[in-house]
Amino acid sequence: MDAVAAPVRRESRYVRRLGALLFWISCLCPAGIRAEGMSASTDLNLIASSLPEGKISLVQSFTIPVLRGSGFLTQGNSLKALLTAEVSPISLNGAAECILTPLAFFQLAAGSRIGTGWNIQLFGAGLTGIGRNMPQGDHGAAVDGPAFDGVFWKGHIGGALQFDMAALFPGDWHHIVVRTYHEANYKLFSRARGRDAWYYEADLGENQNGFNYYGNCLIGYQMPGVIKMAGLMAEADKYLYDTPQGELWGDDLPRWYFSALAQAALTSRIDAALIVQFQTLRRFTAETQDYAYYRDRRMASPGALSLTFYRVVGIITLRLGKTGTS
């Protein structure tokens, strides 16, 4: 068994497991499906940011009524499948996800994403689409890998709890919503070996092949009119691969993101969203904070974090088409 083939075999094993899960979900659904209630929609998302980043995505979704009842807890039950194609200045991605809603307040999700990338210079800064993050010299770092040099893969399974106050007190102005989502995911770069670190889509380059946790909590207010929703969201992302001595550079700490967001209906087919985000950064000692290779840095003290501005994101959603009713 050669070392090059090993990541591909590991990836295919997780793909097969995810495929089996989605197959059994589909097998359980037909008894509760009403074919006349199926619907499909196509959306185009245009994403811009105050950072040198952007993305265009095309999303095709299918919604199938599943195990629906007459009560408010089950009248909206469905199985939703989403197929997504994405392109950014440094990456190409394809994704698939299934979301099962067996109760109004609960959802289960499973999905997979695959992609690749390339590296460019933009506004005097290097943007790394894909590649290994390798130590170089005394605390230096270098990106190892040309364009399309390997494949990024991610599989996830998660669940969400959600609540809308209007379910208890009906009314257009009573939609105070709370939603929390949590998932375990596995990320893989096909060229990484052992504990190699790697970049994807201009991130910090601190990824490894292994499991991760992601979770978020949203509280928002939905309303009729042009402004459809305003809310606050907190997100946490944490590596679960337990790198030896990782606590020295804060590898064991979650990365937090805090957002204020608003969504507006510009026309009957065009929505716009604006998101302002802050993030936590680890605080390193003065001697090591400028080291390029992240594993050579040392935390100023255990758990030392600071909150800083991250970015402003704008999203335009164009509804290209919809068929059926759900």
Side-chain angles (χ1 to χ4, degrees), residues 210-235:
F211 286 97
N212 305 266
Y213 161 81
Y214 170 78
N216 65 48
C217 183
L218 167 72
I219 180 168
Y221 181 54
Q222 295 177 337
M223 64 202 88
V226 175
I227 305 299
K228 296 174 64 176
M229 190 186 75
L232 298 172
M233 184 166 66
E235 302 170 85

Side-chain angles (χ1 to χ4, degrees), residues 89-240:
I90 55 173
S91 65
L92 291 170
N93 293 288
E97 184 177 38
C98 283
I99 302 172
L100 177 66
T101 305
L103 292 169
F105 61 84
F106 180 58
Q107 289 183 330
L108 284 171
S112 181
R113 173 181 296 266
I114 190 169
T116 190
W118 54 92
N119 309 323
I120 64 172
Q121 291 289 324
L122 187 65
F123 305 121
L127 297 181
T128 305
I130 200 166
R132 294 190 298 170
N133 182 7
M134 305 298 290
Q136 187 176 61
D138 293 332
H139 313 300
V143 179
D144 174 47
F148 308 110
D149 187 37
V151 173
F152 164 82
W153 181 83
K154 173 187 172 183
H156 73 268
I157 184 167
L161 293 173
Q162 53 195 16
F163 171 75
D164 184 350
M165 194 178 74
L168 300 179
F169 305 99
D172 289 344
W173 296 94
H174 297 172
H175 290 281
I176 299 175
V177 295
V178 178
R179 186 177 192 273
T180 181
Y181 171 78
H182 304 270
E183 76 170 37
N185 60 69
Y186 187 91
K187 296 179 182 178
L188 178 146
F189 174 40
S190 62
R191 283 196 65 247
R193 306 290 180 267
R195 295 192 178 275
D196 285 352
W198 45 270
Y199 291 94
Y200 194 64
E201 293 189 329
D203 60 14
L204 296 176
E206 300 180 4
N207 309 287
Q208 292 182 44
N209 292 355
F211 286 97
N212 305 266
Y213 161 81
Y214 170 78
N216 65 48
C217 183
L218 167 72
I219 180 168
Y221 181 54
Q222 295 177 337
M223 64 202 88
V226 175
I227 305 299
K228 296 174 64 176
M229 190 186 75
L232 298 172
M233 184 166 66
E235 302 170 85
D237 189 11
K238 190 176 188 301
Y239 304 135
L240 300 178

Side-chain angles (χ1 to χ4, degrees), residues 11-301:
E11 175 181 338
S12 64
R13 186 171 70 249
Y14 285 98
V15 172
R16 288 196 300 270
R17 289 178 181 175
L18 181 60
L21 173 64
L22 299 182
F23 170 78
W24 284 113
I25 289 176
S26 68
C27 289
L28 291 173
C29 291
I33 291 177
R34 295 202 309 270
E36 69 275 11
M38 293 176 60
S39 66
S41 63
T42 307
D43 294 338
L44 180 67
N45 298 311
L46 309 175
I47 305 170
S49 168
S50 58
L51 296 175
E53 60 184 8
K55 186 172 286 189
I56 299 174
S57 66
L58 184 67
V59 182
Q60 179 67 52
S61 65
F62 304 90
T63 303
I64 305 170
V66 173
L67 304 175
R68 288 193 173 178
S70 57
F72 76 95
L73 288 177
T74 58
Q75 63 184 3
N77 287 1
S78 66
L79 176 66
K80 188 171 186 177
L82 299 100
L83 301 174
T84 303
E86 295 179 344
V87 60
S88 81
I90 55 173
S91 65
L92 291 170
N93 293 288
E97 184 177 38
C98 283
I99 302 172
L100 177 66
T101 305
L103 292 169
F105 61 84
F106 180 58
Q107 289 183 330
L108 284 171
S112 181
R113 173 181 296 266
I114 190 169
T116 190
W118 54 92
N119 309 323
I120 64 172
Q121 291 289 324
L122 187 65
F123 305 121
L127 297 181
T128 305
I130 200 166
R132 294 190 298 170
N133 182 7
M134 305 298 290
Q136 187 176 61
D138 293 332
H139 313 300
V143 179
D144 174 47
F148 308 110
D149 187 37
V151 173
F152 164 82
W153 181 83
K154 173 187 172 183
H156 73 268
I157 184 167
L161 293 173
Q162 53 195 16
F163 171 75
D164 184 350
M165 194 178 74
L168 300 179
F169 305 99
D172 289 344
W173 296 94
H174 297 172
H175 290 281
I176 299 175
V177 295
V178 178
R179 186 177 192 273
T180 181
Y181 171 78
H182 304 270
E183 76 170 37
N185 60 69
Y186 187 91
K187 296 179 182 178
L188 178 146
F189 174 40
S190 62
R191 283 196 65 247
R193 306 290 180 267
R195 295 192 178 275
D196 285 352
W198 45 270
Y199 291 94
Y200 194 64
E201 293 189 329
D203 60 14
L204 296 176
E206 300 180 4
N207 309 287
Q208 292 182 44
N209 292 355
F211 286 97
N212 305 266
Y213 161 81
Y214 170 78
N216 65 48
C217 183
L218 167 72
I219 180 168
Y221 181 54
Q222 295 177 337
M223 64 202 88
V226 175
I227 305 299
K228 296 174 64 176
M229 190 186 75
L232 298 172
M233 184 166 66
E235 302 170 85
D237 189 11
K238 190 176 188 301
Y239 304 135
L240 300 178
Y241 27 74
D242 192 25
T243 306
Q245 298 186 314
E247 67 279 359
L248 296 179
W249 61 85
D251 208 47
D252 59 327
L253 298 176
R255 294 159 299 285
W256 287 94
Y257 301 89
F258 301 96
S259 307
L261 55 96
Q263 183 182 15
L266 302 184
T267 71
S268 60
R269 300 183 65 176
I270 302 176
D271 284 356
L274 183 67
I275 307 170
V276 180
Q277 292 185 304
F278 295 82
Q279 65 176 341
T280 57
L281 294 178
R282 292 158 294 174
R283 289 193 287 111
F284 301 106
T285 63
E287 295 80 9
T288 65
Q289 63 183 359
D290 294 326
Y291 289 173
Y293 190 60
Y294 74 101
R295 294 181 188 175
D296 291 342
R297 301 171 194 151
R298 294 295 178 262
M299 295 290 293
S301 61

